[in-house]
Amino acid sequence: MTKDFPLVIFTLLQQMAAGGFILLALLLIKQQLNQASSLQLSRRLIVVLILSGLALATSTLHLGHPLRGANVLLGLGRSWLSNEVIITGTFFGSVGFYWLASWKKQEWVGLRKLSLVVGLLSGLAGLAAMSLTYMIYTVPVWDSWHTPAGFFATAATAGALLALLLVQPIEDFYTPKIQAGLHFVGLLGLLACAIVMGMQAAHWAGISTSVTTPAEQFAGYSSWMTARAVLLLAAGILWLATVLKDRITPISLLATLLLVLAAEGAGRVIYYSVHMTVGL
Amino acid sequence: MTQQHGFYIDTEKCTGCKTCELACKDYKDLGTEINFRRIYEYTGGDWHQDATGCWIPDVFAYYVSMACNHCNNPACTTVCPTGAMHKRDDGFVLVAEDICIGCRHCESACPYGAPQYNAEKRNMTKCDGCYERVGEGKQPICVESCPLRAIDFGPMDELTEKYGYQRDIAPLPPSHMTQPNLIIRLNPNAKSTGSRAGTLANPQEV
Ligand code: SF4
Ligand code: SF4
Ligand code: SF4
């Protein structure tokens, strides 16, 4: 597991960045990209860029030879790990281009829109590729629908909170309708995180080989599971309470996001720790 | 030589002496952390009552010596992002150590525990089937070292003709997954793949 710790950080940050960007791109795409509020929001996408950049930088920490990193290009099309890296790189590049152009080249409206669309699509494709990277036919604990479901649920939940934080100071975007939409996506994502967690635990309980079971692979299995459940519940209660009582503030959003990241981080630690193959 | 080669492992003869493992270590100059060949000790036992009412133990233990099976459908090469882990035309699955980025994805995928990460070299290493020796018409070191003659190696069609095509035994994975080039002679106590009748007695060692 320790060897996979950089991947816990990578998957979490990249899922949050991709989820947030996808939601914001959907909001921006319908707007005049040159109006003041659109530019304001576009420039705030530096946060997405930093998160995704940090994610990519962290992912190189689990390589023995990070300097040979370019060799992943050799597996393009054949290996999902290659595809994941290349698609995620495309995402980072499109977001970077879009952000930079929102400062320097506002007149390139068509190109900016194009980079927004490429960013949106590569964000989605990156989440899918990340899932397929782990859906290895010899690794029964990972090779199931729970992997993509869990990854997309994390992206929706953390992404919606990130999007809310970024649009919050911009009046034109922080409309009741958009707020409601983002809270809806995020809360639905949170519910999905909880459901997938339960169903995945049931799936794992049915897996064994002659040498081990998923729970035997990880000494902290039940305590980490409990911690994750408690954190998810806490995030849900805080989020729902602040929505229902109309007490949403940047602080409440940030607190909810931190709880969600802690819960999903615990989930990812479990995910890597229960790793086992169909054999030895 | 373009024929697919493979290993024959006789779990009836093998006494778990680990000579093959050490011969390989010596020949390949491996440190304490890396074992291209590993011996899995599968042990268990139960009590049963005979006709006279006596309780009798039926303890069992057998050994499965495993390296890389140079599979026909290798999980390791499928996931490798660089192609460093590759199956050659002659069937050997090798790591190109100068291309490998040390991502350890192959290690996650192989159900035989064959790819072994070398922390000093910071890249993956693995049993190469002693392909250089085989090219000179010799047998791999592990095969030659076995005092019990419990390992054989050769073109798969010859091995199949000699020994049959049993490939499944606990604690190995179901062979249909990666299609290993491996033939097993079953120990009388052999349990079937996936059986929970025994446990791995030497987890620290493999
Ligand atoms: S035994 Fe493992 S490492 Fe060897 S070819 Fe098969 S899948 Fe690859
Ligand atoms: S560790 Fe090396 S050989 Fe193994 S999958 Fe990664 S790049 Fe390929
Ligand atoms: S074939 Fe060679 S490299 Fe492979 S286990 Fe035997 S001695 Fe070691």
Side-chain angles (χ1 to χ4, degrees):
Chain A
M1 163 54 214
T2 20
K3 75 177 160 74
D4 291 325
F5 193 71
L7 298 176
V8 171
I9 305 294
F10 164 73
T11 55
L12 269 190
L13 292 186
Q14 180 57 28
Q15 283 160 15
M16 169 162 65
F21 184 81
I22 291 163
L23 291 168
L24 293 173
L26 288 173
L27 296 181
L28 278 167
I29 234 158
K30 292 186 290 190
Q31 306 294 325
Q32 289 289 335
L33 287 187
N34 271 343
Q35 74 197 23
S37 58
S38 300
L39 283 173
Q40 203 186 343
L41 180 55
S42 303
R43 289 168 184 175
R44 300 197 103 211
L45 290 177
I46 181 75
V47 176
V48 171
L49 196 62
I50 290 174
L51 287 172
S52 179
L54 269 178
L56 282 166
T58 315
S59 74
T60 63
L61 293 180
H62 97 290
L63 300 182
H65 285 289
L67 294 181
R68 294 181 191 162
N71 287 356
V72 296
L73 291 169
L74 298 169
L76 180 60
R78 184 186 53 76
S79 153
W80 276 109
L81 179 52
S82 285
N83 297 346
E84 176 195 358
V85 174
I86 289 154
I87 295 170
T88 308
T90 309
F91 172 80
F92 181 79
S94 326
V95 177
F97 176 85
Y98 179 77
W99 172 77
L100 210 59
S102 301
W103 282 102
K104 304 278 177 204
K105 294 285 175 199
Q106 290 155 29
E107 64 278 15
W108 291 359
V109 176
L111 264 181
R112 281 167 58 211
K113 201 149 244 179
L114 182 68
S115 61
L116 206 54
V117 174
V118 174
L120 195 159
L121 294 179
S122 56
L124 276 174
L127 292 173
M130 193 186 284
S131 310
L132 287 160
T133 294
Y134 294 103
M135 294 170 75
I136 308 170
Y137 64 102
T138 48
V139 183
V141 277
W142 292 347
D143 188 17
S144 70
W145 64 267
H146 309 89
T147 292
F151 287 1
F152 276 93
T154 307
T157 315
L161 286 162
L162 177 65
L164 278 161
L165 276 165
L166 292 181
V167 294
Q168 189 267 337
I170 308 171
E171 235 168 78
D172 282 2
F173 280 97
Y174 205 55
T175 61
K177 203 175 134 203
I178 288 177
Q179 285 185 52
L182 289 175
H183 283 299
F184 179 74
V185 170
L187 282 162
L188 210 62
L190 192 66
L191 184 66
C193 286
I195 293 173
V196 173
M197 172 182 164
M199 297 185 78
Q200 190 168 41
H203 170 65
W204 286 343
I207 294 175
S208 74
T209 64
S210 293
V211 279
T212 192
T213 65
E216 278 169 35
Q217 289 294 94
F218 182 30
Y221 185 74
S222 48
S223 37
W224 279 79
M225 276 286 193
T226 315
R228 184 183 181 200
V230 170
L231 287 164
L232 279 177
L233 193 67
I237 290 173
L238 177 62
W239 198 340
L240 264 182
T242 46
V243 167
L244 293 177
K245 294 201 162 175
D246 211 9
R247 290 269 183 79
I248 295 287
T249 63
I251 301 290
S252 83
L253 290 171
L254 195 63
T256 316
L257 179 58
L258 290 177
L259 281 172
V260 165
L261 290 178
E264 292 310 276
R268 229 36 73 75
V269 168
I270 301 168
Y271 186 82
Y272 287 108
S273 301
V274 299
H275 169 269
M276 58 183 271
T277 67
V278 287
L280 300 167
Chain B
M1 192 208 58
T2 51
Q3 258 174 323
Q4 176 69 55
H5 283 54
F7 288 104
Y8 164 72
I9 305 289
D10 187 334
T11 66
E12 172 146 28
K13 278 188 187 159
C14 175
T15 59
C17 73
K18 302 177 179 66
T19 305
C20 53
E21 178 175 329
L22 288 170
C24 170
K25 254 172 140 47
D26 186 26
Y27 182 61
K28 294 287 179 186
D29 206 8
L30 307 177
T32 46
E33 297 302 315
I34 295 177
N35 304 303
F36 287 174
R37 187 169 276 291
R38 303 156 310 284
I39 321 302
Y40 294 84
E41 303 188 2
Y42 197 62
T43 69
D46 212 340
W47 294 88
H48 67 263
Q49 213 168 6
D50 71 8
T52 63
C54 243
W55 285 95
I56 299 186
D58 52 359
V59 189
F60 70 87
Y62 61 86
Y63 308 92
V64 184
S65 172
M66 257 308 105
C68 168
N69 297 306
H70 303 276
C71 305
N72 288 343
N73 181 24
C76 56
T77 63
T78 310
V79 302
C80 175
T82 62
M85 189 67 88
H86 63 291
K87 189 168 176 70
R88 302 201 313 182
D89 290 341
D90 63 9
F92 286 112
V93 175
L94 303 185
V95 197
E97 292 191 26
D98 55 335
I99 294 175
C100 171
I101 55 173
C103 70
R104 307 180 69 160
H105 210 37
C106 51
E107 185 188 7
S108 294
C110 169
Y112 294 93
Q116 311 245 327
Y117 184 69
N118 185 318
E120 258 161 50
K121 291 181 171 176
R122 293 184 288 135
N123 58 244
M124 201 50 69
T125 57
K126 190 176 74 55
C127 157
D128 61 6
C130 286
Y131 71 94
E132 281 159 338
R133 285 177 60 86
V134 174
E136 295 163 9
K138 297 184 195 148
Q139 287 285 66
I141 285 287
C142 54
V143 175
E144 285 206 335
S145 75
C146 177
L148 278 295
R149 298 275 177 272
I151 316 180
D152 198 356
F153 178 89
M156 276 311 280
D157 43 3
E158 282 175 28
L159 289 185
T160 315
E161 203 172 302
K162 241 160 113 184
Y163 303 114
Y165 47 81
Q166 177 70 35
R167 294 187 295 181
D168 292 278
I169 183 173
L172 300 188
S175 58
H176 67 84
M177 303 215 90
T178 65
Q179 295 163 25
N181 286 295
L182 172 71
I183 296 170
I184 298 278
R185 180 170 176 220
L186 292 179
N187 184 282
N189 288 313
K191 304 292 177 245
S192 49
T193 292
S195 160
R196 299 286 289 168
T199 49
L200 183 63
N202 61 340
Q204 307 283 338
E205 225 174 71
V206 295

